[in-house]
Amino acid sequence: TPRVLSGIQPSGGLTLGNYLGAIKRFVETQDAGGHQTLYCIVDLHAMTVWQDPAALTRNTRELAAGYLASGIDPEKSILFNQSQVPEHTQLAWIFNTVARMGWMGRMTQWKDKAGKNAEAASLGLFAYPALMAADMMIYHATHVPVGEDQKQHVELTRDIATKFNHDYDTAFFPLIEPVIEGPATRVMSLRDGSKKMSKSDPSDASRINMTDDADTISKKIRKARTDAEPLPETYEGLKDRPEARNLVNIYAGLAECSVADVMAKHAGEGFGEFKPALADLAVEKLAPISTEMARLMEDPAEIDRILARGAERAREIAAPILAETYRIVGLVR
Ligand code: TYM
């Protein structure tokens, strides 16, 4: 059976971008059946930029609560945090010896995050994509649902697998397929249609957090930046209107319909009409999740038990793959 792995960093709160671009699709994949699904909280990746220890703990549990509240079922999927499965970092070391400095230096996420002062960035931030490749390859995952911004990292994973297979004359690692589907693979900021919605944006009004209450969600959507034109007949008509297009994409993602359906239903409406409709839809879909997250957060011990159990199951798959990797490269056991 195809094996699906994906991950999210516990580096601050979950956003609507994470939900539509990732978690919601993880739930759909889980519920469709026919796949083995592993979903990870990549706590070690979060540490590539400074994390306050207490905040890292809380954000890890809150992300677990977000997965559970959105419909990840720890019986159907393996839900765990990366640091409890040491095979990820063990394989990452091997991949550090396979990947080339030049490949890492070309990653746009590295360039964005390191900025002008790469000398001061952590070594972990530079090596980040090798650990990410290990996250997937330690399970021989075949598919990875991600948002648009992770495409380059998945391609690098394929490059690492290809070079490993070539260098050691084997076909041990599969070439994983990115699955970047649906109307909301790149949710943009509510304040600037040229910027990705992100948990690190200094403006809280730029994003919807999965912990926002109904009132906040509704306010943020009503205040979202837009133009003054009504919605056109077709989606193509939104080509030069990034803010308007973003709201249509969000609507389609939340309503689980196509962007063409949204246009058919709302063409001709101005934002005075469309925004309240979108705000109601967002509250209907998201408020129950934030309520459930808050309920789950009241029992952190139960969350920790779920993650520990998930990690145990993950290790059952990972351990033999690591052992075989060590054998292939000639490490004495
Ligand atoms: P991260 O934590 O930044 O984001 C988690 C997931 O959410 C998606 N996403 C978005 N999708 C649509 N619109 C947005 N505005 C938006 N913002 C975020 C991301 O594409 C991602 O799918 N490197 C990864 C974490 C990772 C990982 C992995 C992913 C580590 N190991 C293994 C898959 C497989 C990251 O930083 O995601």
Side-chain angles (χ1 to χ4, degrees):
T1 50
R3 191 175 277 159
V4 171
L5 179 129
S6 198
I8 302 179
Q9 298 192 60
S11 52
L14 272 172
T15 69
L16 179 65
N18 297 133
Y19 178 67
L20 292 177
I23 296 195
K24 189 166 186 302
R25 296 170 51 228
F26 300 173
V27 174
E28 286 160 9
T29 308
Q30 165 194 277
D31 292 345
H35 306 81
Q36 183 175 34
T37 45
L38 295 108
Y39 298 120
C40 188
I41 298 168
V42 290
D43 45 11
L44 298 172
H45 273 116
M47 291 179 69
T48 57
V49 296
W50 166 252
Q51 302 291 320
D52 171 73
L56 180 61
T57 305
R58 181 169 29 77
N59 288 335
T60 299
R61 290 184 181 134
E62 191 177 273
L63 177 49
Y67 270 119
L68 294 166
S70 304
I72 296 297
D73 175 346
E75 298 302 318
K76 291 189 198 155
S77 295
I78 300 181
L79 176 65
F80 65 104
N81 56 318
Q82 186 185 37
S83 62
Q84 291 205 75
V85 182
E87 286 81 1
H88 287 237
T89 40
Q90 291 175 291
L91 182 62
W93 181 261
I94 306 281
F95 284 175
N96 280 345
T97 70
V98 173
R100 304 291 96 182
M101 302 270 287
W103 301 0
M104 300 296 179
R106 280 192 287 277
M107 294 295 110
T108 54
Q109 183 171 304
W110 156 253
K111 289 193 243 177
D112 289 349
K113 283 203 180 179
K116 289 195 171 49
N117 194 6
E119 291 284 316
S122 76
L123 186 54
L125 187 66
F126 191 65
Y128 179 117
L131 177 58
M132 177 163 165
D135 295 338
M136 298 174 249
M137 290 298 104
I138 197 61
Y139 305 105
H140 278 187
T142 54
H143 296 82
V144 53
V146 279
E148 185 63 49
D149 61 338
Q150 294 301 316
K151 190 171 182 215
Q152 197 185 26
H153 286 156
V154 179
E155 279 160 9
L156 186 89
T157 300
R158 293 166 60 97
D159 291 342
I160 291 175
T162 302
K163 182 160 161 52
F164 180 98
N165 289 346
H166 175 267
D167 289 355
Y168 293 101
D169 194 20
T170 174
F172 189 58
F173 288 112
L175 294 188
I176 193 162
E177 292 290 341
V179 186
I180 303 171
E181 281 169 4
T185 56
R186 190 170 173 82
V187 177
M188 307 309 279
S189 158
L190 298 177
R191 304 261 93 222
D192 178 350
S194 69
K195 275 191 2 207
K196 193 182 69 167
M197 182 181 288
S198 155
K199 42 196 157 201
S200 58
D201 193 310
S203 159
D204 193 60
S206 72
R207 64 179 159 266
I208 292 175
N209 304 300
M210 294 307 287
T211 48
D212 285 345
D213 60 19
D215 215 41
T216 310
I217 296 171
S218 184
K219 273 203 194 103
K220 283 179 178 174
I221 290 183
R222 283 158 196 265
K223 287 191 180 151
R225 192 174 144 191
T226 43
D227 52 45
E229 301 291 309
L231 286 177
E233 293 295 319
T234 65
Y235 188 70
E236 287 65 44
L238 292 169
K239 199 160 69 65
D240 300 317
R241 300 171 60 188
E243 282 90 7
R245 194 170 63 231
N246 188 39
L247 295 186
V248 168
N249 291 346
I250 291 173
Y251 192 108
L254 289 169
E256 301 181 23
C257 66
S258 69
V259 289
D261 293 337
V262 181
M263 301 315 289
K265 192 162 160 221
H266 295 279
E269 287 180 12
F271 286 101
E273 247 181 297
F274 184 68
K275 277 186 185 172
L278 177 58
D280 288 348
L281 175 67
V283 168
E284 177 199 326
K285 299 285 180 178
L286 303 177
I289 298 178
S290 73
T291 307
E292 176 64 2
M293 280 174 77
R295 194 190 67 80
L296 290 165
M297 284 297 280
E298 283 167 20
D299 189 357
E302 174 60 13
I303 291 179
D304 293 0
R305 269 193 296 279
I306 290 171
L307 294 178
R309 174 72 191 121
E312 244 173 67
R313 291 167 65 202
R315 290 195 76 179
E316 283 168 23
I317 306 171
I321 292 176
L322 183 72
E324 181 59 12
T325 308
Y326 277 7
R327 193 197 62 75
I328 289 170
V329 303
L331 296 171
V332 173
R333 310 316 294 148

